[in-house]
Structure formats: structure tokens, C-alpha cells
Amino acid sequence: MCGIVGYAGKEDCVDLLIDGLQKLEYRGYDSAGIAVIQNSHIEVKKTKGRLADLVDKMETEGRLKGCCGIGHTRWATHGEPSDINSHPHGNERISIVHNGIIENYREIKEFLIEHGYSFESETDTETVLKLLDYYYKGDPIDAIAHVVKEIRGSYALGILFMDFPDRIFAVRKDSPLIIGIGENGNFIASDVPAILKYTRNYYLLEQNEIATLTEKGVDICDIHKNPVKKEIQVADWDLDAAEKGGYEHFMLKEINEQPTSIRTTISPRISDGMPYLEESGMTKEMLKSYSRIYIVACGTAMHAGLIGKYVIEKLAGIEVTVDIASEFRYRNPLITDKDLVILISQSGETADTLAALKLAKEKGATTMSIVNVKGASIARESDIVIYTHAGPEISVASTKAYAVQLSVMYLLAFELAYAKGAITKEECMRLTKELQNVPDKIQDILVLKERCQFIASRLVNAESLLYIGRGLDYALSMEGSLKLKEISYIHSESYAAGELKHGTISLVTEDMPVIAVATQSDLFEKTVSNIKEVKARGAKVTMICREGTVDDKAVANHLVTLPDMDDIMMPMLALVPMQYIAYYTAVLKGCDVDKPRNLAKSVTVE
Ligand code: F6R
């Protein structure tokens, strides 16, 4: 939700800011802007629209030039996407970019109006700018410290003060911001991919620490101006990982990266053929001690939790409750200090998931997070963290992050089941081996893309779709349905196949295609009966199942068949055709696959 970059150094920073914003565009893409210090002025160029529109604008109106600047790509919260509401906001002496939400901006605005300020935008950010201006008496750190004491909400701020033309200032609370340490200058950025081209070294900024960046170095202090010493973090992501690498879209690239992502995630957590999560701090004794598990997350990550629930309950016999984070945080969940609360998040910054984590901690539960972005808030604040190694996920629609979240869910389920004595060592080793076979199987399934392209061509004109399945297939179909609707804008719903006849089947006509997942042997016959019910009402059915389990046409109109694996592992294979079908449907509809409308990655607002 909004991307921020900034640079203070020796080089002209305009290309560098644009390049950084391009890497962050997944965080918001309804307007873009930069501000640089040029000939003793703060010069701003900003526009509604994509980053490409900003580049066009500079070509028409003239490029900016300067060695110190900040940039922003926006996902609108307060005020529609427009030139005026775009960041940076500023006057002749201060310019700022902001990611987050200022909850008390109305009262601050009233206070400032009483003190003679006027406002031109509808944004909460402009109140921060004017409050900074109000408090600025020649010392930027004093002004920033005053402001952060008064504003409530979440913020990552990049700030230029004209009186200090060689530096940028930054502060954050509950929104991500890193400080990149380069050779010829230093950076601020919302996420690592924005700085990877220039440096791998960075500092993590903690809540309300204030950073001052110049060409020569970075000073960090707290709001009382006490210096803070920082440990340098080293990014282990590849530069190539943040590039499309010849694929038409990041989403397609990321679908194809799944075998590698899974391998890289599970390999360090398997020792002598057994799951090994102890390096995260989760000991066997701890695993044995939990009587209940909560899994809390949003969107796709929550769907990974649903698969986790089925697998953990089935293998380990422990009760698992899966919650949507935005519901969990307000429903007063009955958590105790004997419970384990697992938070799943690709970005590690999702506001609702972070709030759920804080609530779980207040209630005394052990918290474990499964996070993809190193050093993200959710990882830092939880008791135990298991990092997934998917590399940067740039496409807004999550694919490889989901696959690695599932693989961690499986490892955890195996380890829990073994620790609880619910499965033998031999069975645990067999299941672990089966998980290790998944990447190769997925590699084979990736060739199904033409089949899925064909199926997509049959779906592209549909107004609404139904996804059905039972058990693990139902949990997976929720993710398939989300993927389709978020990138192709075709309405779809996922339904437990056995529940259809209790109401929803009345929607089924020849105009409502159905995607049925039927990979679970014990539920197969029952799902086939449900497929027949919708087919009898005219629906064209695409069935995703194992090879050799069904005769073409007799049951479904289109089949996608998968290689055989243990039942519980089948969602890891069936996810690929789900993703492909959504992807190719969106491509055929001409949608902007990697940047679907109204969405942004890393949802740092409630
Ligand atoms: C959908 C998607 C979202 C995210 C959700 C949680 O494709 O990506 O539903 O899964 O916003 O994000 P994280 O995992 O970053 O907490």
C-alpha cells in the first residue's frame, strides 16, 4: 500500500527514484511522483496514473535533476487518485511522501486551520506536511519528533527540508521502511527490491526511530535524539528475482518459480528425512504442549491456513481454528497461554494480521509467524518465525507465496503429528519424502498450460463461476476462486460441493461454468455426484482430478488431470491449474494481470 523511495548521494537521483518506484509499483499504482532538490529549490513532478505516466510527463515538461530526492507510488486511501492528491506533498521548504494512514488527521487539520494553514488536497498526508511546517524552527529532528508525538496511526515518511539540501529524513511506525546503505549514497525504501540494484546492505528502522541520510552516511536516533546503533542486514534475494526475466507477466514467472521456491523453503527444514523446525525455536516439547491452534491471516495466506487446518487435524489430531485476521482482532477470541497462534503473511506487514498477532500476545499465547519478507514487522514481533523462501513476489495476485506457505503447513503438521505420537517415525519420513517429491511433480504439471489456456478460452465470457470441492479440495477451491476474481474481474464463488443443494444450486444454469476439484479419494464419488447434479442443470464443468480416475466427457466437459500423490499432498499439485486458469482468463480478457484494479500488495491499512 504505497511505495516510498528516497536517495541522498553523489549521483543524479531521478532515474534511481523511477527505477525504485518501478520495483515498488506492486504496492500501489494509482498515482506517482518525485521531489528532488534542484538549484536550491524543491522541485516536484507528480501525476495521477501509473509510473509510466509520470515518466511521460517528465519527457513533455522537462526532467528533474538533483542528488537528493524522494518518490512515491500511491494506493489511494484519503482522496481519489488525482494530481493534487498524489505525493509528494510540499511547500517551498518541506516535501514529504507517506505510506500509511493518519487516524487523527481531522483534528490536526482543524488545529492547523485555526493557526492559519490552508489545504489543497483531501489527503491525511498533507496534515503531516503542515504539522511539520508548524513545528519546524530550524531543526528537522525536533520537528519530526514533535509530529510523531501528535499523529496517530501508521506511517512511513520520507522528508526533504530545503534548509538541508544534501539530506533526506525518514521515520516509520507500523508501515515498513528500510534504509539502504550504498557506496555513493544512501536510500530509503518500502521494500528490498527497490534498492537491490544498488546495494544488498540495509538497516531496519524500528518504530519512531528517525533516520538522517546523506551521501556520506546514515544517522539514526530516537525521538529524544539519542543515537541508535544498528546491525546491518544483508538481502539474500537475487536481483533477477525482481525482474520479469522474459515472462509476459510476473504472475506467470512466479507460477513457474514454484518448484524452486518450495525446494528452497523445505530443504533447510528437513534433516535425516524428518521435518526439522527447531532452528526457528519451536522445540518438540513445545509442539507437544499445545492443546489448540489458531491460524490467523488474510486472503490467500488465510487460504493456506485452511489447508493447514485439514492436514494438522487429520494427522496430529489437534483442534485448529482458522480466522480472517480482520474478524479475529475484533471478536474477542478465547485464546489462552496454552494455545499456539500461527500468523501467515507473505509481506509480513498486513495491518490486520499484525494487530491479530499483538492481540494473541496480549492473551499470552505462543505466536509463530510464517513470513516471506525478512525482517518484516510480523516476523519481528512474533515469538517464533519460520521464513518462507519464495523470493520477492511482485505480482499482486499471490501464487508462489501460497505454495511455500502450504509447504510449511505440511512440515509443521508432520512434525506436530510425530511429536504428539499420532504418527510413527516411518510414516513421518514417508510423508516428508512425499513433500520433497512435490517440486518435481509441479514441474511436470507446469506443461499443462495449454490445456488451461483452452479452458480459459471457455470461461472468458462468463459473468459468474462456481468452484466446488470437498475437504481439502474445497479449501483449495477457495484460493482458485479468489485468484480468478481478483485478476479477471469475473465473479466467482467457492462452495462446499455437498452444500450446493441447500440453496446455491438454484444459481446453476448453462451460463454458469463450474470448476470442480476432486482429488481426494475418500470423497471422490461424492464429489462426482455433485458434479453430475450441476451438469444435469446445464453447467459446463471443468474437473481437476488425478489421472485415470474418470472417463473424459462422462463426468465433466473438460478435464485437467494430475499425477498421483498421497491424498493430503494433492492440493499442492491442483493449485497449478487453478492459477493457470485464472491467469489465462485474465490475459484473454486483456486485464492488467500483475496490477489488478483497486488492489495493491502489502495491505498496511485496516
Ligand atoms: C491475493 C493476495 C492477498 C494476500 C493478502 C494477505 O492474491 O495476495 O489476498 O494474500 O492480502 O497478504 P499477506 O500475505 O502479505 O499478509
Side-chain angles (χ1 to χ4, degrees):
M1 298 246 137
C2 300
I4 289 180
V5 288
Y7 175 79
K10 279 192 191 142
E11 294 167 35
D12 176 27
C13 66
V14 173
D15 284 345
L16 208 137
L17 295 178
I18 298 290
D19 184 67
L21 289 179
Q22 195 215 329
K23 302 288 181 328
L24 297 177
E25 224 186 350
Y26 68 86
R27 302 179 66 88
Y29 32 85
D30 56 42
S31 42
I34 60 170
V36 299
I37 297 189
Q38 177 173 329
N39 303 329
S40 308
H41 290 287
I42 299 178
E43 296 289 345
V44 178
K45 283 274 182 249
K46 58 182 185 173
T47 183
K48 174 186 166 181
R50 298 282 166 98
L51 187 61
D53 299 310
L54 178 68
V55 173
D56 287 350
K57 189 169 183 168
M58 280 203 282
E59 264 167 28
T60 326
E61 296 177 3
R63 253 179 85 84
L64 300 182
K65 193 169 167 30
C67 296
C68 195
I70 51 179
H72 189 266
T73 175
R74 180 169 185 246
W75 187 85
T77 56
H78 295 64
E80 58 171 14
S82 69
D83 288 0
I84 293 273
N85 289 334
S86 308
H87 301 213
H89 291 276
N91 55 26
E92 63 290 342
R93 53 184 203 154
I94 306 173
S95 183
I96 71 167
V97 286
H98 168 218
N99 169 29
I101 283 193
I102 307 302
E103 286 162 6
N104 57 340
Y105 82 101
R106 276 199 195 83
E107 50 199 81
I108 296 173
K109 198 167 178 175
E110 277 166 26
F111 167 84
L112 289 164
I113 289 171
E114 278 166 26
H115 286 79
Y117 283 89
S118 58
F119 288 80
E120 44 184 45
S121 79
E122 299 156 85
T123 63
D124 51 345
T125 306
E126 197 183 352
T127 59
V128 182
L129 164 77
K130 305 245 152 120
L131 197 61
L132 271 171
D133 191 77
Y134 176 79
Y135 282 121
Y136 180 60
K137 307 281 183 261
D139 184 335
I141 306 283
D142 277 347
I144 295 168
H146 264 106
V147 166
V148 299
K149 279 184 212 152
E150 290 198 14
I151 56 178
R152 284 201 312 273
S154 59
Y155 46 85
L157 298 168
I159 314 167
L160 296 177
F161 284 86
M162 191 52 244
D163 291 347
F164 297 85
D166 62 339
R167 55 196 78 176
I168 53 178
F169 299 85
V171 65
R172 71 168 278 269
K173 181 182 153 278
D174 293 339
S175 288
L177 200 67
I178 58 164
I179 311 289
I181 312 155
E183 272 185 16
N184 294 322
N186 297 297
F187 303 80
I188 58 170
S190 300
D191 199 358
V192 169
I195 59 164
L196 268 185
K197 195 163 156 189
Y198 313 98
T199 180
R200 293 187 164 275
N201 298 338
Y202 64 96
Y203 296 129
L204 291 167
L205 209 54
E206 298 296 338
Q207 306 279 60
N208 280 336
E209 287 177 348
I210 304 170
T212 308
L213 288 77
T214 60
E215 171 203 322
K216 298 213 167 62
V218 178
D219 289 320
I220 299 175
C221 65
D222 64 18
I223 51 169
H224 307 295
K225 290 190 167 173
N226 300 311
V228 178
K229 272 235 159 296
K230 289 268 156 194
E231 205 180 300
I232 295 182
Q233 311 287 322
V234 182
D236 51 12
W237 285 354
D238 268 349
L239 186 52
D240 291 352
E243 305 287 345
K244 274 195 209 148
Y247 285 92
E248 200 183 336
H249 296 102
F250 278 109
M251 182 173 174
L252 188 58
K253 176 179 179 235
E254 288 163 5
I255 291 172
N256 279 271
E257 282 172 348
Q258 291 179 120
T260 310
S261 304
I262 296 169
R263 252 184 231 114
T264 323
T265 298
I266 63 172
S267 300
R269 275 95 188 215
I270 296 173
S271 172
D272 295 329
M274 289 287 281
Y276 180 74
L277 297 173
E278 298 213 0
E279 39 100 53
S280 65
M282 178 54 87
T283 62
K284 297 234 165 12
E285 283 61 42
M286 286 164 86
L287 282 172
K288 269 194 253 182
S289 69
Y290 302 117
S291 48
R292 215 168 24 169
I293 296 176
Y294 288 85
I295 303 180
V296 190
C298 303
T300 292
M302 190 273 293
H303 292 157
L306 284 173
I307 300 272
K309 172 185 165 75
Y310 278 91
V311 180
I312 294 170
E313 287 189 342
K314 181 167 181 167
L315 294 178
I318 305 173
E319 185 188 332
V320 181
T321 304
V322 180
D323 263 275
I324 295 170
S326 56
E327 290 294 314
F328 178 86
R329 61 184 291 195
Y330 294 116
R331 79 165 169 84
N332 195 18
L334 304 174
I335 313 169
T336 71
D337 56 5
K338 296 195 175 46
D339 298 331
L340 172 67
V341 178
I342 303 175
L343 298 305
I344 309 179
S345 177
Q346 187 285 128
S347 64
E349 298 292 347
T350 302
D352 285 317
T353 311
L354 185 57
L357 162 65
K358 288 178 180 162
L359 178 68
K361 283 179 87 171
E362 267 164 39
K363 293 195 174 255
T366 307
T367 55
M368 171 197 259
S369 63
I370 298 170
V371 172
N372 195 46
V373 176
K374 211 166 119 188
S377 303
I378 293 171
R380 280 191 274 168
E381 293 200 23
S382 48
D383 301 320
I384 293 160
V385 54
I386 300 182
Y387 282 112
T388 51
H389 299 307
E393 191 179 59
I394 310 286
S395 173
V396 166
S398 186
T399 52
K400 62 176 180 172
Y402 175 69
V404 292
Q405 286 160 357
L406 290 191
S407 64
V408 172
M409 286 280 100
Y410 282 104
L411 278 181
L412 183 65
F414 302 161
E415 187 147 30
L416 263 168
Y418 180 59
K420 286 259 178 192
I423 56 171
T424 60
K425 185 167 184 189
E426 290 65 40
E427 178 62 356
C428 192
M429 289 178 90
R430 185 189 72 78
L431 289 167
T432 307
K433 182 81 200 121
E434 193 71 338
L435 180 62
Q436 286 175 299
N437 291 335
V438 165
D440 286 345
K441 299 265 183 187
I442 292 187
Q443 200 67 54
D444 295 343
I445 298 169
L446 287 169
V447 301
L448 287 175
K449 74 173 196 219
E450 273 159 28
R451 179 93 195 114
C452 297
Q453 235 165 342
F454 169 77
I455 291 165
S457 72
R458 308 280 126 170
L459 303 178
V460 71
N461 294 318
E463 279 186 8
S464 190
L465 248 87
L466 207 53
Y467 282 75
I468 61 171
R470 286 170 177 258
L472 278 169
D473 291 332
Y474 172 45
L476 180 76
S477 70
M478 289 189 202
E479 176 56 11
S481 167
L482 175 65
K483 221 72 314 169
L484 183 86
K485 68 185 140 202
E486 70 175 322
I487 59 170
S488 76
Y489 317 141
I490 298 177
H491 170 258
S492 78
E493 216 179 317
S494 157
Y495 234 77
E499 179 67 7
L500 277 180
K501 54 177 100 48
H502 299 288
T504 305
I505 202 163
S506 69
L507 289 173
V508 175
T509 65
E510 60 191 14
D511 295 326
M512 178 173 278
V514 171
I515 299 195
V517 193
T519 67
Q520 299 299 297
S521 1
D522 53 340
L523 297 166
F524 183 75
E525 289 303 333
K526 296 194 184 300
T527 308
V528 167
S529 302
N530 300 131
I531 293 173
K532 288 188 171 156
E533 287 160 10
V534 292
K535 210 156 169 262
R537 283 150 185 92
K540 302 276 180 299
V541 179
T542 296
M543 185 175 178
I544 301 174
C545 58
R546 286 183 159 95
E547 264 156 20
T549 47
V550 47
D551 179 15
D552 206 352
K553 304 283 183 221
V555 177
N557 303 78
H558 312 293
L559 278 187
V560 181
T561 55
L562 304 170
D564 200 21
M565 288 203 94
D566 192 285
D567 263 7
I568 61 161
M569 218 56 81
M570 288 308 290
M572 294 224 64
L573 306 189
L575 64 86
V576 178
M578 293 284 205
Q579 296 165 339
Y580 267 158
I581 289 171
Y583 171 76
Y584 285 112
T585 308
V587 170
L588 288 172
K589 284 195 74 181
C591 299
D592 191 345
V593 174
D594 286 334
K595 300 190 190 90
R597 73 177 172 220
N598 304 339
L599 290 175
K601 221 168 172 69
S602 191
V603 184
T604 50
V605 296
E606 233 192 279

